[in-house]
Amino acid sequence: MTENPGPSNPLLEGRGELRDQPRRRSSQNSTNTTNNNTLHPGAWWLWSLGLATAATRTTNPLLLTLLITVTAYVVATHRTTAPWSRSYTAFAKLALAVLLIRLLFATILGSPVPGTHPLLTLPELPLPHWAQGIRLGGEVTAEALLFAFYDGLRLATLLICVGAANALANPARLLKSLPGALYETGVAVVVALTFAPNLIADAQRLRAARRLRGRPDRGLRGLLQVGLPVLEGALERSVALAAAMDARGYGRTADVPASVRRTTTALTLGGLLGVCAGTYGLLTAEGAAYGLPLLLAGVVAALAGLRLGGRRTLRTRYRPDPWDLRAWLVTASGVAVAALLTLAATRDPAALTPGVIPLTAPTLPLWPAAAVLLGLAPALVPASKPSKPSKPSKEPS
């Protein structure tokens, strides 16, 4: 039986509240300081996208390995204890799986690259005449495997760069920084990006609980017994998220004049078409004269359309994240790596895309490697500004 605590004394409760006020105030101050001093999440995404762009310009395994090392070091120096910070390891495992699958496909299905150094010969299955150009089995050459390894390593590097952004950027704060016109789209993107980290955190927590109870957490049996609670937790989280979004008026829009809506649509569509046409002009030799002006005009028109489209969204920002000097430095490092690797790919394509026929060992080009090392600049940027210690408040006597 439980004892009845009896009527509460308001004076004692008031004393307890007064006694707890300094502690609450100090914790709030520390929380505010942390939120204000954390790096802008958009800077992390721009930095990682710059490294990913650099990875698309090369198949040199030495440069790609250097890019992976740069992302791993920056994540190790700036990763927090948040649930999404564990996603880098998951993306690294996914990248390794993609690389192995690419090599497996090259072994079983063959490769368009001819080779003169056979490694093994698999039994070849005959296929009908309508499947010409496809083979199952046959001779596997060293050139074909090396070509598949270079191609798979580039895709794996892209995945690892995206994993670095997921591990470093707070998705909720990134959503808060989006323009008003992209808010609803940003919510969907953030929910999609946080699905994998939350799923990984749930699986790790359930596996730890099963180990504490002496139950198996590995193998097919452990996977089946962990998968159902993880799926149930994901469904509950989805229902709770839908209820929270509905309670906060998600999808509610303001009334704007029809002329503003038509102008917004025209600017946005025209800007996107200008960006596509300008990008195509920059990639072709014939459109080099009009590519850059058309691209800039399209970007300006698209930004103006987003600015006008933000009037329909009824939302405010509470303590917006400042874009300070640290964010500029992190962004500039990623953009510099992408620009320098793109320039190197046009100046010396043989160094960034080593051939496989004949078989030659890849070499490390010096100045592209130095350009990749510029991506280490975020590791030199402090994670938070040194804040002045706040004066302790007096406790009431």
Side-chain angles (χ1 to χ4, degrees), residues 113-317:
V113 177
T116 58
H117 296 79
L119 297 178
L120 70 155
T121 302
L122 299 176
E124 187 171 357
L125 299 178
L127 296 177
H129 66 279
W130 51 265
Q132 292 182 358
I134 303 175
R135 70 174 179 86
L136 291 176
E139 189 178 62
V140 180
T141 61
E143 289 85 354
L145 284 183
L146 191 61
F147 177 79
F149 175 75
Y150 288 170
D151 195 28
L153 184 60
R154 178 168 57 180
L155 181 56
T157 307
L158 289 174
L159 291 174
I160 289 177
C161 291
V162 175
N166 277 276
L168 294 172
N170 187 335
R173 292 176 54 225
L174 180 63
L175 174 63
K176 187 175 66 172
S177 304
L178 287 178
L182 299 177
Y183 176 70
E184 296 181 1
T185 306
V187 169
V189 172
V190 167
V191 170
L193 289 176
T194 55
F195 176 77
N198 288 329
L199 205 66
I200 295 168
D202 290 345
Q204 290 178 347
R205 186 172 62 252
L206 287 171
R207 289 183 60 187
R210 290 184 63 83
R211 284 195 299 268
L212 290 175
R213 292 180 175 90
R215 298 177 182 176
D217 63 318
R218 297 182 181 275
L220 182 60
R221 181 180 178 185
L223 179 63
L224 293 176
Q225 294 184 357
V226 168
L228 185 59
V230 169
L231 180 60
E232 183 181 357
L235 292 176
E236 291 179 355
R237 192 182 301 111
S238 300
V239 173
L241 178 63
M245 291 166 64
D246 183 65
R248 288 166 174 80
Y250 178 76
R252 183 179 54 184
T253 57
D255 293 331
V256 295
S259 59
V260 175
R261 292 199 299 269
R262 288 193 292 267
T263 305
T264 301
T265 304
L267 286 174
T268 304
L269 292 179
L272 293 178
L273 290 176
V275 169
C276 294
T279 304
Y280 177 77
L282 290 177
L283 295 177
T284 58
E286 295 80 5
Y290 68 86
L292 185 59
L294 194 58
L295 177 63
L296 294 177
V299 170
V300 171
L303 292 177
L306 292 177
R307 181 74 176 179
L308 287 177
R311 296 183 179 181
R312 300 186 62 188
T313 304
L314 298 173
R315 61 184 293 262
T316 58
R317 289 188 179 90

Side-chain angles (χ1 to χ4, degrees), residues 44-121:
W44 288 124
W45 271 102
L46 292 176
W47 169 80
S48 64
L49 291 178
L51 296 186
T53 304
T56 61
R57 311 307 300 172
T58 178
T59 56
N60 191 321
L62 301 178
L63 290 177
L64 293 175
T65 305
L66 192 59
L67 280 170
I68 294 174
T69 306
V70 167
T71 59
Y73 184 77
V74 173
V75 169
T77 54
H78 284 76
R79 185 167 56 179
T80 62
T81 57
W84 57 82
S85 63
R86 306 173 186 173
S87 59
Y88 183 80
T89 305
F91 273 91
K93 294 179 180 178
L94 177 62
L96 180 60
V98 167
L99 180 59
L100 295 177
I101 291 173
R102 181 67 178 88
L103 292 174
L104 181 63
F105 281 178
T107 303
I108 298 176
L109 302 178
S111 175
V113 177
T116 58
H117 296 79
L119 297 178
L120 70 155
T121 302

